[in-house]
Amino acid sequence: MRFRPYQWFVEPLLALALRRRRLAALGFDGPVPEVAIDWRREADCEAPCPVVKSKVPRLVERYVARRAGRDDPLRLMPMVIDLARYPDAAAFDAALKARSTRTLPKIRKAEREGYVVRPFLVQSHVFDIHAIRTSMPMRSAGPVLDYWLLKPEKIATPATQRHDFGWPACPVHWIIWWGVFLPEPGYRQGEVEVGERLVAFVKMWRMGDIVHYTEIMGHRDHLEKGVMLLLHRAIVQWLIAGELAAAQGARLLLYGALEHGRAGLLTWKKRAGFRPVRMVADAVEADG
Ligand SMILES: [Zn+2]
């Protein structure tokens, strides 16, 4: 096991300091729901798979408890959307509307202004990712070290020609970048003409039943346009529709923990449909 000082020492303190108050702010006073998850999904896993399954991934170590029915006050509480609750896109829209009547009008306005959402290849938009990451020194999650330190080449090697996006080989273990784009004729990334500007992105990980927003960020100049909610809703719709293998059978969309960030981040998660749960792996099979 690697030495993880933040995970071992800071996160338990955060959980102890913030959990009760934040649960109360979300209207929870009893136990949160528990969901059994399988991150290996051996039957659906296909080669070449990027995950070495003999090692428990950090994401699972961090968020998934090993025993059902027991509170663990020192573990961060995951914030998730339980995709099984939403049979179709309309059901999810209704949930968004119930949390804030301003969400859907804002998303529709962004669509009318020409913003489009799709997955992309990180190498094709390195300079825009750099521009987004360095557009603000502070975010709702805290200070952004990249604001001062990041060089574009650290993100990925920039592409020198156009490449098409391809879906990952293993449908249940992957990293996919999704972006919000604004068409802009002649727009370039380095030497390559791409004809559109990336203004927001999310780096998503799938680990079997769990799909995780590892990093989600928008450019300062476009945040007021509702691009983050537009991006989020498009991804949830893609997961619910389950038309492609990479979206099929995903159970939970995870976006960090209840204890992460400042109050504004928690409000955003609440409006976006995220709720606290306990995730449990290797639990006894549900008996109906
Ligand atoms: Zn796999």
Side-chain angles (χ1 to χ4, degrees), residues 73-218:
L74 299 181
R75 187 188 292 277
L76 294 183
M77 181 159 278
M79 290 292 283
V80 308
I81 291 175
D82 188 344
L83 296 161
R85 291 166 62 104
Y86 304 107
D88 54 31
F92 184 65
D93 277 355
L96 289 178
K97 197 175 170 185
R99 285 172 173 81
S100 169
T101 51
R102 289 164 53 196
T103 300
L104 291 175
K106 214 170 176 183
I107 290 171
R108 293 199 184 100
K109 186 156 181 277
E111 283 169 342
R112 283 197 303 275
E113 289 187 23
Y115 291 104
V116 289
V117 179
R118 61 171 177 78
F120 67 94
L121 208 63
V122 59
Q123 290 82 358
S124 301
H125 300 275
V126 167
F127 299 99
D128 279 347
I129 292 172
H130 181 258
I132 291 166
R133 281 191 178 154
T134 56
S135 68
M136 285 166 87
M138 285 292 287
R139 298 265 177 184
S140 57
V144 182
L145 291 179
D146 284 352
Y147 183 78
W148 294 279
L149 300 176
L150 186 70
K151 300 251 184 307
E153 298 72 24
K154 287 271 183 181
I155 298 167
T157 305
T160 52
Q161 61 184 73
R162 288 191 71 123
H163 293 288
D164 289 329
F165 172 80
W167 296 99
C170 176
V172 291
H173 302 105
W174 46 247
I175 292 174
I176 298 177
W177 295 68
W178 281 75
V180 180
F181 293 89
L182 203 53
E184 194 172 318
Y187 187 73
R188 307 176 84 85
Q189 289 287 278
E191 301 144 36
V192 188
E193 186 171 328
V194 291
E196 55 185 357
R197 184 186 293 264
L198 178 75
V199 301
F201 66 85
V202 55
K203 181 184 185 184
M204 287 171 74
W205 270 68
R206 181 167 182 185
M207 204 58 85
D209 287 343
I210 308 170
V211 180
H212 182 224
Y213 285 170
T214 299
E215 185 187 5
I216 177 166
M217 211 175 263

Side-chain angles (χ1 to χ4, degrees), residues 39-42 44-51 53 169-174 208:
W39 64 270
R40 289 189 176 90
R41 291 276 296 263
E42 293 292 358
D44 303 310
C45 180
E46 277 173 40
C49 177
V51 176
K53 286 185 282 307
C170 176
V172 291
H173 302 105
W174 46 247

Side-chain angles (χ1 to χ4, degrees), residues 20-37:
R20 192 173 303 184
R21 203 181 332 147
R22 291 198 167 185
L23 279 176
L26 294 176
F28 277 83
D29 55 359
V32 302
E34 192 168 275
V35 182
I37 63 102

